[in-house]
Amino acid sequence: MLTTAKPGHRTGVRLATVLLAAAALTGGTCPAFAQSGAAEAVVRSDTADRAAVQHALDEAVAEGVPGVVAELRDGRGVWRAAGGTADLADGQRARAEDRFRIGSVTKTFVATVVLQLVAEGRIGLDDPIEQDLPGLVPNGRNITVRQLLSHTSGLADYLTKVLAQPDPLRSAQAATYTPRELVAISSGLGPRFAPGTSWAYSNTNYVVLGLLVEHITGHRLDQEIARRIVRPLHLGDTSFPTTAELPGPHMHGYEWADGPTAPPVDLTTFNPNAVWGAGTMISTADDLNRFYRALFDGRLLPADLLKEMRTPHPVDTGRAYGLGLESRTYCADGTPVWGHSGSVAGYETFSFTTADGRRQITFSLNRNLTAGPRGDDTITRILTLGLCSR
């Protein structure tokens, strides 16, 4: 759900979990999973480039991630690949078309719906949240829609308290929070800073935005995302689940939550209530690439709001945040890429596009919070190979 780490490092759920529940989530290596998938559906591929990406995917498996799936798009065509295992119980190999939980990549979908409502004149970017959701958050008169989208609201992240519970992963897996209860947890923690004066990633922002969408439209958040994005773009493998199941062909998600020598915990079935609008969606590499291509091509938002979405607020060296979009720098020439990363128990996902739209890569791994430290470098290498010209 969180995305607070520097480029190439694990997203913030892993960091928060390590800090808040280190005893329960002991990192470390585990035996490698030997199956390595061959590249699939190569279209006009550059052999050397594709081979390097495949090698990096295989390295992730060798370092202890059970499985990985990927799709790369560029001027030479579409290339899909997979490596390792989707289901450790039956040995099913990972396949490029497998579904997975996308974590905070959900935030771009929510932000797109919010900005569509702005385009329709139903809300304003600089409207205070108090105007439509009175009493929901403290100081709501001074917190704007724009600040929620950009993580400059100052609202504390409810997840820090959720992850402070004993056995946090299993607790979150079975959580039964309502969105308003998640916001109330945040309110009880107090603000991080005065609205608009700093930046701090907070899942609470996107729970509030989800409630705003529901209030303005009169429909559930999952229904609006399906009506406005999923169905028009024919994203047949993308959903905003309302149950704990992960339907269709998918990678199982694993964590070594009881230590590196204990059996892995299968966290595939996961109640969406602990993340909701902050990170609950399911998709595939192909669907996410098609979503971001449609977004950046101007098929979902007018040009002025897409420009607002991609106006960066600096976070740290090489990284910035817009409105529901991350900007990162992986290439030597400093060319930025746009998209989002996503981190939930059992899954880590990256979906990024170069600023000119010529290159895209989406990939997901089915181990996250307990992965070894070498995985960070491997992830950076996959992104660099996929997004940077050689």
Side-chain angles (χ1 to χ4, degrees), residues 261-280:
T261 61
V265 178
D266 189 328
L267 294 162
T268 308
T269 300
F270 207 96
N271 197 314
N273 293 349
V275 286
W276 198 58
T280 200

Side-chain angles (χ1 to χ4, degrees), residues 242-307:
T242 57
T243 71
E245 301 305 313
L246 204 171
H250 60 270
M251 290 200 298
H252 284 240
Y254 298 98
E255 300 292 352
W256 273 251
D258 301 317
T261 61
V265 178
D266 189 328
L267 294 162
T268 308
T269 300
F270 207 96
N271 197 314
N273 293 349
V275 286
W276 198 58
T280 200
M281 289 183 69
I282 294 164
S283 192
T284 62
D286 180 63
D287 271 11
L288 289 183
N289 274 345
R290 289 195 288 133
F291 164 63
Y292 278 109
R293 193 162 63 256
L295 177 63
F296 296 145
D297 284 350
R299 284 182 274 155
L300 295 174
L301 292 173
D304 60 329
L305 288 176
L306 183 57
K307 182 178 179 181

Side-chain angles (χ1 to χ4, degrees), residues 79-103:
W79 179 82
R80 301 185 182 102
T85 307
D87 186 345
L88 294 178
D90 63 11
Q92 175 68 45
R93 294 178 63 176
R95 301 180 300 168
E97 63 270 25
D98 282 345
R99 298 176 185 177
F100 46 84
R101 297 191 185 277
I102 69 174

Side-chain angles (χ1 to χ4, degrees), residues 313-344:
H313 182 286
V315 175
D316 51 38
T317 303
R319 183 164 175 260
Y321 204 92
L323 305 182
L325 285 175
E326 293 180 53
S327 175
R328 298 191 181 202
T329 303
Y330 289 106
C331 305
D333 63 1
T335 302
V337 298
W338 286 93
H340 218 291
S341 56
S343 179
V344 289

Side-chain angles (χ1 to χ4, degrees), residues 69-80:
V69 296
E71 181 181 275
L72 170 66
R73 290 176 177 259
D74 58 20
R76 293 180 297 279
V78 180
W79 179 82
R80 301 185 182 102

Side-chain angles (χ1 to χ4, degrees), residues 47-297:
T47 303
D49 189 52
R50 271 51 173 177
V53 176
Q54 182 69 60
H55 180 69
L57 298 176
D58 292 342
E59 282 188 335
V61 175
E63 290 160 4
V65 172
V68 58
V69 296
E71 181 181 275
L72 170 66
R73 290 176 177 259
D74 58 20
R76 293 180 297 279
V78 180
W79 179 82
R80 301 185 182 102
T85 307
D87 186 345
L88 294 178
D90 63 11
Q92 175 68 45
R93 294 178 63 176
R95 301 180 300 168
E97 63 270 25
D98 282 345
R99 298 176 185 177
F100 46 84
R101 297 191 185 277
I102 69 174
S104 280
V105 182
T106 300
K107 291 180 172 67
T108 308
F109 285 82
V110 174
T112 300
V113 172
V114 170
L115 291 170
Q116 287 178 342
L117 294 173
V118 172
E120 294 163 10
R122 301 171 76 176
I123 55 176
L125 268 177
D126 295 308
D127 286 350
I129 195 63
E130 186 77 8
Q131 177 175 303
D132 290 299
L133 296 172
L136 179 65
V137 297
N139 199 25
R141 289 176 296 178
N142 294 310
I143 295 174
T144 67
V145 173
R146 184 192 304 274
Q147 290 165 349
L148 293 166
L149 287 164
S150 63
H151 295 294
T152 58
S153 70
L155 293 177
D157 194 340
Y158 70 85
L159 197 63
T160 59
K161 186 169 183 179
V162 171
L163 293 179
Q165 300 179 59
D167 197 1
L169 290 188
R170 291 182 178 90
S171 295
Q173 185 179 24
T176 57
Y177 301 105
T178 67
R180 287 183 176 268
E181 285 173 340
L182 296 177
V183 176
I185 291 171
S186 167
S187 299
L189 296 172
R192 292 284 303 276
F193 48 80
T197 63
S198 188
W199 185 93
Y201 195 92
S202 175
N203 289 287
T204 307
N205 292 319
Y206 278 75
V207 175
V208 174
L209 289 166
L211 290 169
L212 177 63
V213 168
E214 293 194 337
H215 173 76
I216 295 296
T217 65
H219 302 132
R220 297 197 315 262
L221 179 59
D222 63 289
Q223 294 172 331
E224 284 299 299
I225 289 174
R227 183 176 74 86
R228 293 169 174 270
I229 300 174
V230 173
R231 287 199 295 270
L233 296 182
H234 305 289
L235 304 180
D237 293 307
T238 299
S239 62
F240 188 111
T242 57
T243 71
E245 301 305 313
L246 204 171
H250 60 270
M251 290 200 298
H252 284 240
Y254 298 98
E255 300 292 352
W256 273 251
D258 301 317
T261 61
V265 178
D266 189 328
L267 294 162
T268 308
T269 300
F270 207 96
N271 197 314
N273 293 349
V275 286
W276 198 58
T280 200
M281 289 183 69
I282 294 164
S283 192
T284 62
D286 180 63
D287 271 11
L288 289 183
N289 274 345
R290 289 195 288 133
F291 164 63
Y292 278 109
R293 193 162 63 256
L295 177 63
F296 296 145
D297 284 350

